[in-house]
Amino acid sequence: MEIFNIFLNIIVPILILIGLGAFLHLKFHFDLNTLAKINIYYLVPGLIFIRLYETDLALEMFFKVLVFFIFLSLFLYFVSKLISKLLGFSKGLSIAFSHSSLFYNSGNYGISVNDLAFRQDPIAMAVQVLVLTFQNLLVYSYGIISLQRLDKSKIKATVPYFKMPVLYAMFFGLILNAFDLTLPQFLYTPGSYIADALIALALLTLGAQVVQLNFTKNLVTVYLSVGVRLIISPLLAFIIIQFLNVDTITAQAMFIASAVPSSVNSAIIAQEYENETAFAAQAVLASTIFSALSVTIVIFLSRILFV
């Protein structure tokens, strides 16, 4: 019954909003590039800044989340590369496979799951916001650099990616928090409105992005990717958490954050660099579909494993 309640009260509301996004995109044909930019340059930085400013965040927690993220990313990288080598993937497919494992949907999907699973607990949300920030930095650094090796002619096109506002949102949010500085009300109010708008619009965007993806080929490879993202990732996260000595809420938030599906960003940059675009899109679609079950189980396990 508890698993059913988790699915009904946490996953189903997310699926409804994703479904609405898919339906509205089919009806009105949204400009997905504009929607993505609204999320990346407007909603996500606003959420990161406000949530880090609001939360009673200790420096120790920041570094523990950072250590967790670094080790999880390293382990996922080596696992994906090992699978690629054993199965003889081409260089392009190997990169796309590692991206589908390393880049997960901490924003559109992860923030929403966290908000519902922890009922707006500020500590849990701070963990998710930090993971989201580190994810964005990883995607637009390693993600781009690894693809540049395949197409060095597009190096100049990547410059805007290194001007991502999430880094500055995190920096200023942490500074205000660490020095207990008060943000003027005329700035806090619009920031709060932006932060509160993220979940609904982010899931609408995810639905619009996912509905245009299709299954075509390489399904075995796609399912391997889904296995790494939805099963191996939380297993690795559980092991890492054992060494971090964190409180229950932080441990649960880390564990759940590791289990969300592949990020649409992995498909976007694959399309930009014309590298295994079909595989990248299918990995996002398949992991999003199967995550309805896997994330439900991970949330259930988090309440048993970390008490």
Side-chain angles (χ1 to χ4, degrees), residues 34-304:
T34 299
L35 282 176
K37 281 184 169 59
I38 290 172
N39 279 271
I40 292 170
Y41 290 95
Y42 181 65
L43 296 174
V44 171
L47 177 98
I48 289 172
F49 175 74
I50 291 297
R51 296 296 179 255
L52 291 181
Y53 166 73
E54 290 178 334
T55 306
D56 185 13
L57 181 66
L59 190 61
E60 180 184 9
M61 177 185 171
F62 173 86
F63 283 111
K64 284 185 177 179
V65 176
L66 178 60
V67 169
F68 166 78
F69 179 81
I70 290 172
F71 276 96
L72 180 60
S73 298
L74 287 173
F75 290 151
L76 286 172
Y77 174 82
F78 286 120
V79 167
S80 62
K81 288 300 180 183
L82 178 61
I83 293 173
S84 297
K85 189 169 184 179
L86 289 175
L87 297 181
F89 291 168
S90 65
K91 187 174 181 181
L93 181 57
S94 176
I95 291 174
F97 188 85
S98 68
H99 284 187
S100 69
S101 304
L102 279 169
F103 305 152
Y104 40 98
N105 203 335
S106 299
N108 309 51
Y109 199 107
I111 290 289
S112 308
V113 169
N114 182 284
D115 186 70
L116 291 170
F118 295 98
R119 299 174 184 175
Q120 301 181 334
D121 183 281
I123 298 298
M125 182 56 72
V127 171
Q128 184 63 43
V129 164
L130 288 172
V131 171
L132 168 60
T133 304
F134 300 147
Q135 261 289 305
N136 274 274
L137 297 177
L138 181 65
V139 170
Y140 295 108
S141 56
Y142 164 72
I144 299 298
I145 291 169
S146 61
L147 286 171
Q148 282 180 357
R149 297 173 184 171
L150 295 178
D151 189 353
K152 295 181 179 179
S153 67
K154 291 192 176 182
I155 291 178
K156 291 183 179 179
T158 69
V159 172
Y161 291 125
F162 292 95
K163 297 178 181 178
M164 299 298 292
V166 293
L167 176 61
Y168 307 104
M170 181 184 72
F171 175 76
F172 288 114
L174 289 173
I175 289 294
L176 291 175
N177 190 306
F179 292 98
D180 198 22
L181 301 174
T182 301
L183 189 67
Q185 191 64 35
F186 70 88
L187 292 177
Y188 177 76
T189 298
S192 296
Y193 287 159
I194 294 172
D196 292 340
L198 181 133
I199 291 177
L201 192 52
L203 290 176
L204 179 144
T205 302
L206 178 59
Q209 292 169 326
V210 168
V211 75
Q212 66 173 353
L213 306 178
N214 297 299
F215 287 121
T216 54
K217 59 179 181 177
N218 294 330
L219 288 183
V220 173
T221 310
V222 169
Y223 292 141
L224 279 173
S225 166
V226 171
V228 174
R229 176 85 298 279
L230 300 182
I231 300 174
I232 293 179
S233 179
L235 286 175
L236 292 172
F238 174 75
I239 295 171
I240 296 168
I241 292 168
Q242 305 310 303
F243 296 93
L244 292 179
N245 188 29
V246 293
D247 62 84
T248 299
I249 293 296
T250 301
Q252 290 176 339
M254 287 178 173
F255 187 54
I256 294 171
S258 72
V260 296
S262 298
S263 170
V264 176
N265 287 334
S266 62
I268 291 174
I269 61 175
Q271 185 173 11
E272 167 125 10
Y273 284 83
E274 300 176 357
N275 178 61
E276 299 292 342
T277 54
F279 165 80
Q282 291 172 68
V284 173
L285 178 59
S287 64
T288 301
I289 293 171
F290 288 114
S291 69
L293 174 62
S294 64
V295 172
T296 299
I297 294 172
V298 166
I299 294 172
F300 173 73
L301 290 175
S302 72
R303 297 174 179 179
I304 296 174

